[in-house]
Every structure is written in C-alpha cells, then in structure tokens.
Amino acid sequence: MNFEDLNASGEKKMRIIQEQVPGKQVTLAHVIASPDPIIYRKLGLDPQLDYQRSAIGILSMTPPEISVIAADIAMKKANIEMGFIDRFSGTLIFTGRVAEVENAIMEINDYLKTKLGFTICEVTKT
C-alpha cells in the first residue's frame, strides 16, 4: 500500500506499508547452479570455500521461524554447508553440489508439506 504524506516542510513523501500474510508456506525455493563468485561474496559467503561446491540453494518461508527447522532438515538429509539462516525473515541459504542442494530443497519441501501442512511453491533453477 502506498500513501502520500506531507513532511514538516510541506513536501510530499511516499510512505510504503509492507505486510506479511500469516500462513504456512514456502514462497521461494531456488537453486543457482554454477554461480559466479561475485554472488557468493554479495551473499556474505566465502567463494574460496564455497565456490567449489558449485550451487547455492535459497528458500523463503513463513512463518519465518520455520527456517530453523528447514536448516536442520537440510543438514541431516544432504551434504550441504549452511550459509545463512534468518529466523526473523524466513530466509535460508546454503551451498553444495547441485544434486545435494536440490535434494535438500526437496527434502525440506516434502517434510513441510506432508508433516506440517505447508503450501509449497515450485522449485526453480538457473
């Protein structure tokens, strides 16, 4: 939603309100195969360590706390390295070989769908 407000000097300012709709869903499940090293650096990952792994998995989910459980599933079900977990935004980023990253995402999606009744998005890959 956008609203226009006037600031103290009478100029118009745009105010944007963002909402997160409650629900149990995975809204993004993506595999980046053979990413450029700059992507690792911009994500705060070490390309010297992670680039050999050849893929990055990115998930976004609500409620955001579920990212902790998803990270645990990924670590137990696939040979991946955890890059980032944010229990406040629901973001999960990990690295590994393409097949391992894909497997981790599939295992997370399967568990969340069958055990917890989540709505799951399509897994995408670039």
Side-chain angles (χ1 to χ4, degrees):
M1 291 183 157
N2 295 337
F3 297 95
E4 290 187 6
D5 288 334
L6 299 179
N7 64 13
S9 62
E11 299 171 332
K12 286 185 179 180
K13 283 180 65 173
M14 183 69 71
R15 180 170 47 122
I16 299 173
I17 299 172
Q18 294 180 326
E19 299 178 41
Q20 188 176 54
V21 178
K24 298 187 316 184
Q25 59 186 336
V26 175
T27 57
L28 173 69
H30 187 74
V31 178
I32 302 173
S34 302
D36 192 89
I38 190 69
I39 294 175
Y40 287 97
R41 286 194 293 276
K42 294 294 182 177
L43 289 173
L45 304 171
D46 183 354
Q48 298 298 324
L49 299 174
D50 297 313
Y51 190 65
Q52 298 173 353
R53 314 261 314 152
S54 76
I56 300 172
I58 303 172
L59 291 104
S60 179
M61 55 202 86
T62 58
E65 299 85 1
I66 202 70
S67 61
V68 177
I69 295 169
D72 181 55
I73 293 166
M75 295 293 295
K76 289 177 177 173
K77 298 290 187 174
N79 184 21
I80 53 101
E81 294 291 327
M82 198 53 57
F84 180 74
I85 307 167
D86 188 346
R87 63 189 167 128
F88 300 107
S89 71
T91 302
L92 180 62
I93 299 174
F94 49 85
T95 62
R97 299 198 185 283
V98 174
E100 294 292 333
V101 168
E102 289 175 336
N103 184 54
I105 290 175
M106 298 307 285
E107 291 286 346
I108 290 167
N109 282 350
D110 182 59
Y111 182 87
L112 295 180
K113 182 177 181 178
T114 60
K115 301 287 186 190
L116 298 177
F118 273 57
T119 301
I120 305 299
C121 70
E122 176 184 353
V123 178
T124 55
K125 181 178 172 183
T126 56

